[in-house]
Amino acid sequence: MSLGFRLTRRSRLILYPGLATPIDSVVALIIDGGEAVMIDSGSGLRASVEALAVGLAGLGYPDRFRVGLVINTHGHVMNAGGDWWAHEVLKATIAARPPDSNWIESGDPVRTGAREVGVVFRGTPVGLVLREDLARIPVGDLEVEVVHTPGHTPGSQSVFLDDDQRLALIGDSLASISPRWDSSEEDWWRSLEKIRERDPDIICDSVRCYMGKAAKSFLEQVEREGPRRIE
């Protein structure tokens, strides 16, 4: 997939693992009416934020739109490590869900997974703390839904957009579980059902995007294999 790859009519892929660093997550941008929301922010390493800057500029930032909000799917460094840059440079508000929001603010090296991959997580203020199971957030004339999908971490959440296709940005909601992150296998299975019942046409996790039949196959494979456990 290329930089700025079209996911739906009003969403684009702007970062993915290996584009800048191996520990970056998928980062997507939803744009409408001069407003944009970024989903996750990558690792925050220099090459990563430079790639984000290039990707945003290629889509017309700052002349065509501004990035007012970053929604974190969870608090791990691969997904939320770039929050500091989004906050300081883009002047975006950071949105996350407890307790992951606390990890992001404190830069907790264990809970964010930063120590595990040998990087520093720069603690960043979370200006929008999401607590309800479902939050609806406007983006121009669009509305995205942010759904609590815990399991991988207690504060994991998924972002859904109904555009010309139904997009699900799930981060690591269906990835591994570990006691070091207070994971819950019971919650993981419930979150799988939440995602599946919305029947998305496109699913992006932290690693790649699956489209059409591949999205359905991904969910079937995840259900067969269940959560991978890390001690």
Side-chain angles (χ1 to χ4, degrees):
M1 292 182 177
S2 59
L3 193 62
F5 179 85
R6 181 187 188 276
L7 296 170
T8 70
R9 185 163 66 92
R10 289 171 286 190
S11 63
R12 298 291 184 272
L13 180 68
I14 59 170
L15 188 68
Y16 48 86
L19 176 66
T21 83
I23 64 168
D24 280 314
S25 67
V26 161
V27 176
L29 195 73
I30 298 169
I31 314 169
D32 190 62
E35 297 293 324
V37 167
M38 193 160 72
I39 314 304
D40 285 332
S41 61
S43 66
L45 298 176
R46 179 176 177 179
S48 176
V49 299
E50 287 176 350
L52 284 176
V54 169
L56 291 171
L59 293 171
Y61 176 85
D63 297 327
R64 290 182 52 202
F65 62 89
R66 72 178 195 81
V67 181
L69 186 68
V70 174
I71 303 174
N72 290 132
T73 59
H74 63 297
H76 285 163
V77 68
M78 296 76 102
N79 300 74
D83 284 3
W84 70 268
W85 178 82
H87 176 71
E88 293 178 12
V89 177
L90 303 181
K91 307 303 180 185
T93 298
I94 307 301
R97 186 180 298 272
D100 297 39
S101 55
N102 301 326
W103 309 346
I104 292 168
E105 289 198 316
S106 67
D108 187 311
V110 175
R111 299 303 181 103
T112 64
R115 181 176 295 169
E116 185 178 343
V117 295
V119 300
V120 174
F121 191 107
R122 292 175 60 168
T124 305
V126 176
L128 178 59
V129 179
L130 301 172
R131 300 183 187 277
E132 60 273 31
D133 283 342
L134 169 63
R136 292 183 172 90
I137 296 176
V139 188
D141 291 332
L142 291 175
E143 185 177 75
V144 298
E145 293 188 337
V146 186
V147 178
H148 190 200
T149 51
H152 177 67
T153 67
S156 288
Q157 53 191 8
S158 298
V159 178
F160 296 90
L161 170 67
D162 277 332
D163 201 5
D164 56 334
Q165 298 189 85
R166 182 169 295 169
L167 173 65
L169 302 162
I170 67 171
D172 280 339
S173 295
L174 300 179
S176 54
I177 57 175
S178 173
R180 72 186 75 163
W181 312 319
D182 292 335
S183 302
S184 164
E185 181 172 355
E186 184 178 356
D187 284 344
W188 188 98
W189 285 106
R190 280 198 290 259
S191 293
L192 170 61
E193 188 55 35
K194 285 183 183 180
I195 293 166
R196 185 169 51 192
E197 70 185 8
R198 288 173 175 266
D199 195 24
D201 302 301
I202 303 168
I203 300 173
C204 295
D205 63 10
S206 289
V207 180
R208 61 182 62 87
C209 295
Y210 307 85
M211 301 186 175
K213 291 182 179 179
K216 298 184 187 306
S217 296
F218 166 74
L219 291 178
E220 290 169 357
Q221 180 179 350
V222 165
E223 183 176 18
R224 284 195 305 271
E225 296 179 354
R228 182 170 64 93
R229 294 168 179 80
I230 299 174
E231 296 305 322

